[in-house]
Amino acid sequence: MYRARDQVENEAWLAKLEQAADRLSLGTEARSRAKDLFLSTVPEKDRSKPAVIAASLYAGALIAGDERSQGDVADAVGVARLTIQQRWKSLLEEAGLRPPGW
C-alpha cells in the first residue's frame, strides 16, 4: 500500500511509466497494477527508479495476463533486460505478493 503523497511526489516517474506502457500497448489493468507496484515499492534514490518502473511494468503485465517479454519492457523503459530479471520477483515480494516458482 502507498500514500497519496507518494503519488504526488512521483508524478514525473509515473508519467515515464505511462509512456513506457504506451510503447508496450499495455491495457488498463496492467497499467494500474504496474502503478500500484511502483508506488508500493518506490525507492528513495532517483537512479533506482527506472529499474523499479521496468520491473513494475513487467510484473503488472504478468499479473494482468497482458504479458510482455523482459526484453520488450527493458527496451520501452531504457534499462537492461537483466535489470528486470533481477528485480521483478523481489518487487512482488516487497509488495506483499507471492511470485511464481518458475
Side-chain angles (χ1 to χ4, degrees), residues 26-99:
L26 289 178
T28 305
E29 184 181 353
R31 290 169 189 255
S32 178
R33 301 254 185 201
K35 179 181 167 184
D36 288 344
L37 285 169
F38 176 74
L39 290 172
S40 295
T41 59
V42 66
E44 289 184 30
K45 296 183 179 184
D46 283 351
R47 66 185 175 106
S48 299
K49 290 180 182 179
V52 176
I53 286 173
S56 296
L57 283 166
Y58 177 75
L62 188 66
I63 292 167
D66 197 4
E67 300 167 28
R68 298 295 187 275
S69 73
Q70 291 177 1
D72 288 345
V73 175
D75 290 344
V77 178
V79 300
R81 185 193 59 78
L82 184 59
T83 299
I84 297 171
Q85 183 180 358
Q86 292 175 336
R87 292 184 182 243
W88 76 273
K89 287 184 180 180
S90 62
L91 180 118
L92 287 175
E93 289 171 346
E94 285 180 51
L97 301 170
R98 188 173 0 141

